[in-house]
Amino acid sequence: MRKFCVVLIVACCSLAFTSRAQDTTNAPKTEIENFELQTGTVIVKGLGEIGSVTTSAGVISVRCKESIDENSGRKEYGIGVALASNQLHGFLVVDYDELDSLIRGLDFLGKITFDATTMPSFDATFATKSGLLIAAHSEQRQGAIQDFLQFADTPRIPLTSVQFAQFQNLITQAKASLDALKNKNSMP
């Protein structure tokens, strides 16, 4: 009987832990996604296309996002980064408050050299809350440094230096568009 109680307690605890882990994993990771999950109110989700970059893995698009709670008038801003291809699809949201650090991260990764470390190879990454990952990678201290974009758990998408610069420019344009929108909305 005592052995049965111990097994039962262990089973219940493991089920509770598993369900808690799933809740954490499936929960929205960004403020704007949480904002959009409100109930008992109308949420208007606006999107504005900034542009896209065509890569060997598909088309990467950047969009501005504005979400409005019609009852309170509260607004949240961010961007959406989408990937569309035959094999892969993804859409990740980046909160407005992450954009400055994303722009700084892109700037650093775009200029990174072998001097970043004394080791023979490196992997330098910047990740957002939602799982958008930008990386610069090199296997040896010679040759080219390869840039990548990754959507959460999807395979890395290689970017040429031109594609990387185009993506960086789209993020900068999106931030400028959101800044203009926020300024316009704050005027009386």
Side-chain angles (χ1 to χ4, degrees):
M1 180 69 173
R2 185 173 171 176
K3 189 174 183 180
F4 174 76
C5 288
V6 171
V7 170
L8 184 61
I9 290 170
V10 170
C12 288
C13 289
S14 66
L15 286 175
F17 178 75
T18 302
S19 79
R20 187 173 181 188
Q22 287 175 348
D23 289 344
T24 304
T25 305
N26 295 332
K29 297 176 182 169
T30 64
E31 291 176 33
I32 196 167
E33 288 171 315
N34 281 306
F35 179 80
E36 291 172 351
L37 288 175
Q38 292 181 79
T39 59
T41 187
V42 174
I43 302 295
V44 177
K45 302 172 196 173
L47 288 171
E49 188 75 28
I50 296 298
S52 61
V53 177
T54 301
T55 70
S56 60
V59 177
I60 299 166
S61 302
V62 176
R63 298 178 184 125
C64 287
K65 284 183 63 68
E66 176 188 47
S67 296
I68 306 161
D69 177 341
E70 282 302 313
N71 286 343
S72 69
R74 184 173 159 227
K75 298 177 182 181
E76 287 289 331
Y77 299 92
I79 65 169
V81 180
L83 169 65
S85 76
N86 293 337
Q87 295 85 15
L88 299 171
H89 293 282
F91 185 81
L92 295 173
V93 175
V94 179
D95 287 329
Y96 177 83
D97 66 357
E98 290 185 277
L99 291 178
D100 285 333
S101 60
L102 174 57
I103 290 168
R104 284 191 303 274
L106 286 165
D107 187 51
F108 180 86
L109 293 172
K111 295 176 183 175
I112 197 167
T113 66
F114 296 110
D115 295 335
T117 181
T118 57
M119 295 293 167
S121 64
F122 69 85
D123 195 49
T125 60
F126 180 91
T128 67
K129 292 180 226 173
S130 62
L132 179 65
L133 182 95
I134 300 98
H137 176 81
S138 176
E139 283 296 321
Q140 302 173 352
R141 293 191 72 80
Q142 55 188 333
I145 295 171
Q146 180 63 57
D147 297 313
F148 296 94
L149 189 72
Q150 186 173 4
F151 286 75
D153 295 330
T154 65
R156 286 185 170 187
I157 300 165
L159 299 175
T160 66
S161 59
V162 170
Q163 292 165 337
F164 184 90
Q166 289 173 332
F167 180 73
Q168 183 176 17
N169 187 42
L170 291 174
I171 299 298
T172 303
Q173 286 177 30
K175 171 74 164 68
S177 293
L178 289 173
D179 286 342
L181 181 63
K182 287 179 77 167
N183 288 336
K184 179 182 168 186
N185 288 339
S186 67
M187 292 182 169

